[in-house]
Structure formats: structure tokens, C-alpha cells
Amino acid sequence: MIPLLAKNRQVIAIELQAHGRTNDRNADLTFEQDADDIATLLKNLKIDKADFFGFSNDGTTTLQIAIRHPELVDKIILGSALAKRNGVPEWFWGFMENAKFENMPELLKDGYKKVAADTNGLQVMHDRDAKRMVNFKDIPDEQIKSIKAPTLIIIGDKDVITPEHAIELHRLISNSELAIIPGGHGQYIGEITTITPEFKESDLVVPMIEKFLDKKPTK
């Protein structure tokens, strides 16, 4: 999806702590720290304001950016974002508690190895990601309600995130729109593990995202 968005706007694709080209630090991952890291990056790049798109865990990070650094935000797009533990089926938490490195999709392992300076960090990334989800805490309603930025919420109808959770976010964020797209977790953006031989770029939600980003604010 990134090349399609980059045709019409500047795209800054970020690999956060312990992911891809970005080294680990001697600390557990948190969505709050990721949000602060992105705020620091934008400051260093001298970018005063931006639109943010986050998918899955990065959707949760995008929520934290809008909560912790609202001055940086024009619009946000939450792709399959989790804000509450009840936003996924109960089996998800047992799956995370028993997460094993060998069960990580090979396509994701290969993607990491292609770009990471130290490929030995793959196990660290896996373990930090799993630990963060096991310890996941609900984002309080008051914090979610504080988000004033125009927001587009997207999930798949066969997503890990439940439709009920997406609707709850839609109700809590006053200036939000909701789209439920046919398909699984990330299929609507072409997440690598979802791509099948029948995949077509025209199936992606890029036109919807661009329409949302180009929309002028109503007075």
C-alpha cells in the first residue's frame, strides 16, 4: 500500500524499537514510548503536523500519538486498532501467553532479516511484542474521548478485532468515521501474510483513505 499512497503525498514509514532497521533499547516495548519516539522523530525532521496511519499494534500507537501529542496530528487512520482487552476474542490472550518464536509467520521473519542490521534481534522483537500484548491494559474512555482529530476507523469483517470494538471506538471518538471491509486482519491494506494469488491492488482501501485525507474540514 505504501507506494500507492506515496504517489500523491509524502510518506514516512517508521520501524519502531526492535523492529526492522531500528535497534532495540534495553527496555520493554510500550505503545506510549512508541508514540513519544515518533513525536521526537517528527521534531528532528522539522515536521510540525502530520496525518498518521497505524495498523494493528501501530493502530494502538496511533491512538497514543493522538492522546499524548495532539498538537502533531492532522488526521488519524486506525487500522484494526485495539484499545480494550475485550476488543478481541478471549482466545487471543491465551494465544499471546503461549506465543512461540517458531510459530511466527516465515514471511515476517524473512522481512525482518532482509533489512535488520543485526538479524539476531528477531527473537528479541518477537519476545518484546508478545510480552507487550500479554500485559496490555485498557486505554481509559476519557483518554479516547479526548481525541478531537478527524479519525477513520477500519477493520475487516473477519478481523481479530471485533466489530463491536470498532463501533465502540467510533462512539468514543466524536469526529470519527467507521468502515468495515470484507476480509481478514490487514487484508484491506495488503498485509504480506494475507496476499493470495487472486490479490489485486484495486482491492485495497487506498482510495477510501485518500478521500478521507483530502476531505476539507466542515465549519
Side-chain angles (χ1 to χ4, degrees):
M1 190 179 79
I2 291 173
L4 298 177
L5 287 172
K7 287 179 182 177
N8 298 310
R9 60 193 75 242
Q10 181 187 26
V11 175
I12 302 167
I14 299 171
E15 293 168 348
L16 290 160
Q17 177 192 334
H19 288 70
R21 298 166 182 81
T22 303
N23 292 334
D24 187 34
R25 56 161 71 88
N26 188 26
D28 289 339
L29 298 181
T30 71
F31 295 112
E32 293 85 353
Q33 182 63 60
D34 278 351
D36 294 349
D37 287 348
I38 291 170
T40 301
L41 173 65
L42 291 186
K43 185 179 177 183
N44 290 341
L45 293 174
K46 297 182 169 49
I47 293 173
D48 296 328
K49 239 176 168 51
D51 302 313
F52 294 86
F53 173 86
F55 164 67
S56 198
N57 274 3
D58 293 324
T60 309
T61 296
T62 300
L63 280 167
Q64 291 294 349
I65 293 168
I67 291 164
R68 297 168 72 85
H69 304 281
E71 72 286 354
L72 295 176
V73 177
D74 269 333
K75 296 180 178 181
I76 62 172
I77 302 156
L78 305 174
S80 304
L82 184 65
K84 311 272 187 187
R85 288 184 72 90
N86 66 4
V88 288
E90 196 54 45
W91 61 258
F92 176 85
W93 302 110
F95 174 79
M96 278 296 163
E97 283 172 7
N98 296 295
K100 292 185 174 59
F101 176 69
E102 55 266 28
N103 294 333
M104 184 178 173
E106 289 301 321
L107 283 167
L108 299 184
K109 291 180 182 177
D110 293 343
Y112 179 94
K113 289 173 183 172
K114 279 178 188 171
V115 300
D118 177 13
T119 56
N120 295 321
L122 185 52
Q123 178 81 53
V124 174
M125 180 187 83
H126 172 276
D127 293 348
R128 290 207 189 283
D129 278 339
K131 183 177 180 182
R132 169 161 63 178
M133 293 317 293
V134 168
N135 296 325
F136 185 84
K137 301 280 193 303
D138 289 359
I139 301 175
D141 285 359
E142 295 71 29
Q143 291 185 15
I144 300 170
K145 286 178 180 177
S146 75
I147 297 172
K148 303 306 178 195
T151 301
L152 175 61
I153 300 161
I154 312 175
I155 65 160
D157 65 349
K158 297 175 182 63
D159 214 307
V160 181
I161 306 297
T162 65
E164 292 79 8
H165 186 57
I167 292 167
E168 181 183 6
L169 278 178
H170 178 42
R171 287 174 175 156
L172 289 170
I173 301 173
S174 58
N175 193 6
S176 67
E177 302 173 24
L178 171 63
I180 301 178
I181 309 296
H185 189 64
Q187 209 166 339
Y188 53 84
I189 60 168
E191 194 279 322
I192 191 70
T193 64
T194 70
I195 290 178
T196 65
E198 298 80 42
F199 169 76
K200 300 190 295 293
E201 280 191 350
S202 58
D203 293 335
L204 303 180
V205 295
V206 173
M208 178 193 297
I209 289 172
E210 298 218 297
K211 182 180 176 184
F212 169 73
L213 292 177
D214 291 340
K215 192 182 296 182
K216 302 294 183 212
T218 53
K219 291 183 179 177

